[in-house]
Amino acid sequence: MQRVKLLRRIALSAAAVIVVALAAVLIPLGLAHEKPSAICITDPTTFPESGVEGWRGEQLENAATIMQTATALGFGRDGQILGVMTAMGESSLNNIDYGDWETSGFTNPDGTRTTSIGLFQQQHWWGSAEQRMDPATAATLFYERLARVQDWQSMDPSLAIHRVQINLDPTYYTRYAPDATAVVDALSRPC
C-alpha cells in the first residue's frame, strides 16, 4: 500500500512538472503567434521596430509622409510605390542635406556642381532648400512632375521615375520596387 502511495505521489509530481514545463513553452509560443498590433500610417509609434524589409525608424516615417502626400494629391498605390522607390534610390529614405556632388563628385551636364538635397535629391531648380528639405513639400514637387508625365501609369515604374528625376540610368530604380511595394503595403493596412 505504501508503495502504491509513493508511486502515486511520484506520478503526480511528474505530471505537475510536465504541466509547468509545457506551460512555460506553449504560452510564449502562443503569444508569439498573436495577431500583430495594427500599423497606423499616421502614428510612427505603431511602425514595427524590426522594420519592413530592412527599412525602419525615420525611413518608414519618411515613406509614410510620401504616401500621405501622394494620397492627398490623388495618387493611389502605384503612385505611392513610385514615390517611395524614388526616395529609396535617391537617399535611402533619409532626408539628407547633401547630394551627388558631395558624395561622388557628380556634376550637371553643363559641368556645374549638383545642388541635390533631401529625400528626392532635388536640385535648386525644384524649389528652395527649405522646400526640398521638407519631406511633404519635396514629395509634392515630385508628384507634380510625375502628373505631367503622359501615361506614367502604363510605363515601367523605373522609366516613369526617370522621366521625373532625369538621372543617368533609366533602370536604376528597378531594384527598389520589391522593397517599396512591401513598405507601401505594410503601411497601408487599416489601423
Side-chain angles (χ1 to χ4, degrees):
M1 197 63 161
Q2 272 188 321
R3 188 171 179 194
V4 171
K5 285 183 180 180
L6 179 63
L7 288 174
R8 194 176 294 155
R9 283 185 188 153
I10 291 172
L12 286 174
S13 296
V17 167
I18 290 171
V19 167
V20 169
L22 284 173
V25 170
L26 294 178
I27 290 173
L29 283 176
L31 293 175
H33 294 297
E34 285 183 8
K35 184 179 176 182
S37 58
I39 297 173
C40 196
I41 193 168
T42 59
D43 183 2
T45 64
T46 65
F47 296 174
E49 285 185 35
S50 59
V52 177
E53 298 298 324
W55 307 91
R56 59 181 43 87
E58 184 182 339
Q59 293 170 313
L60 291 179
E61 290 178 38
N62 288 327
T65 298
I66 293 166
M67 293 169 61
Q68 290 170 341
T69 302
T71 299
L73 295 172
F75 289 87
R77 179 177 177 269
D78 290 344
Q80 292 175 348
I81 291 170
L82 263 63
V84 172
M85 280 174 65
T86 304
M88 283 177 169
E90 293 294 342
S91 66
S92 295
L93 283 172
N94 293 301
N95 197 27
I96 53 179
D97 63 355
Y98 58 88
D100 297 334
W101 171 258
E102 293 83 358
T103 59
S104 307
F106 283 126
T107 60
N108 292 313
D110 66 2
T112 60
R113 286 177 57 158
T114 60
T115 57
S116 51
I117 56 173
L119 287 175
F120 293 89
Q121 288 294 282
Q122 295 159 326
Q123 294 202 53
H124 70 277
W125 55 79
W126 284 78
S128 70
E130 293 78 22
Q131 290 173 310
R132 294 177 288 144
M133 287 300 296
D134 177 70
T137 305
T140 298
L141 295 169
F142 171 81
Y143 285 114
E144 287 173 348
R145 290 193 181 204
L146 179 62
R148 292 191 299 250
V149 175
Q150 190 172 12
D151 297 324
W152 68 265
Q153 300 93 332
S154 62
M155 296 174 73
D156 174 273
S158 188
L159 297 179
I161 296 168
H162 174 71
R163 295 278 305 274
V164 174
Q165 295 293 111
I166 312 171
N167 64 351
L168 294 175
D169 179 4
T171 62
Y172 171 73
Y173 302 97
T174 301
R175 68 189 91 185
Y176 299 102
D179 283 3
T181 302
V183 166
V184 167
D185 289 346
L187 297 182
S188 295
R189 294 184 188 130
C191 3

